[in-house]
Amino acid sequence: MTGWFDAVPAHALPAVVALVLVAESGLLIGMLLPAASLVLGMGVLAGLGLVPVPVVALAVAGATVLGAALGHRTAARADSGSSLPTDGRLGRLLPERARETVDRSALAWSGAIGRRPVRVAAMSQFVAGARTLAPRVAAQAGVPLRVMLRGTIPAALLWSWGLVGAGAVAGAALPLLRCSVAAAGIPLVVAATWLLLRRRANAVPA
């Protein structure tokens, strides 16, 4: 972890990552945020013992659900004619071609989420970009927030525990990996030294 991530105290990192996750699902600009990478990185820190695993996983899940609810509410209030409201302040910052692409993608999602709202809401949690689009599409399709959350909440818990758990396993394995590399380096140095001495011995004329 480098840059701004290193400057944040370890105990405050779950709150920072939670804010990013709320923005990912709650704001259109969230499609550009590396949320999954941050969650995995938080899992690594948890595996190293810097932050508790349950705290990270629950913060991630809660922030994801909160962001989805925010995105749904924003789209429901927008009441625009398109399948996805891209005419707000952030939408106007998008190039025309990008807005058309987003609207086409949302149109494809709207049919599916209208037929199976709970299943699609759950599946979208595991797809980058869909965590941002699905709540808005659900609102535009007339899916009530409580129905969408029936799929979002369990999927968010599964997604958060899966990523955080994978990162924690990797973080816990780092010290063992360092020891293994160091132990493997000793015979390599011995072998390299032996080969060098043997080559020099063979090079000496009889």
Side-chain angles (χ1 to χ4, degrees), residues 25-113:
S25 298
L27 305 174
L28 278 177
I29 199 171
M31 295 183 68
L32 306 177
L33 297 177
S37 301
L38 289 179
V39 173
L40 193 61
M42 282 300 304
V44 172
L45 294 181
L48 293 172
L50 298 178
V51 286
V53 173
V55 171
V56 175
L58 291 176
V60 167
T64 301
V65 173
L66 179 60
L70 175 62
H72 185 282
R73 186 175 183 181
T74 301
R77 284 185 170 184
D79 193 25
S80 66
S82 65
S83 55
L84 182 69
T86 54
D87 53 355
R89 292 181 179 179
L90 291 177
R92 284 194 293 268
L93 297 177
L94 296 173
E96 183 65 27
R97 182 173 298 179
R99 282 187 289 176
E100 291 176 356
T101 301
V102 170
D103 276 332
R104 283 198 301 269
S105 300
L107 185 61
W109 276 82
S110 62
I113 205 166

Side-chain angles (χ1 to χ4, degrees), residues 134-200:
R136 289 168 169 75
V137 175
Q140 291 294 309
V143 177
L145 177 60
R146 66 180 183 278
V147 174
M148 185 196 75
L149 291 181
R150 283 167 49 196
T152 301
I153 292 175
L157 287 169
L158 182 61
W159 179 74
S160 64
W161 279 100
L163 277 183
V164 173
V169 170
L174 283 178
L176 179 61
L177 181 61
R178 292 194 188 102
C179 293
S180 299
V181 171
I186 296 175
L188 288 176
V189 171
V190 172
T193 303
W194 179 76
L195 289 173
L196 181 61
L197 292 176
R198 184 176 179 181
R199 179 174 296 180
R200 286 185 177 180

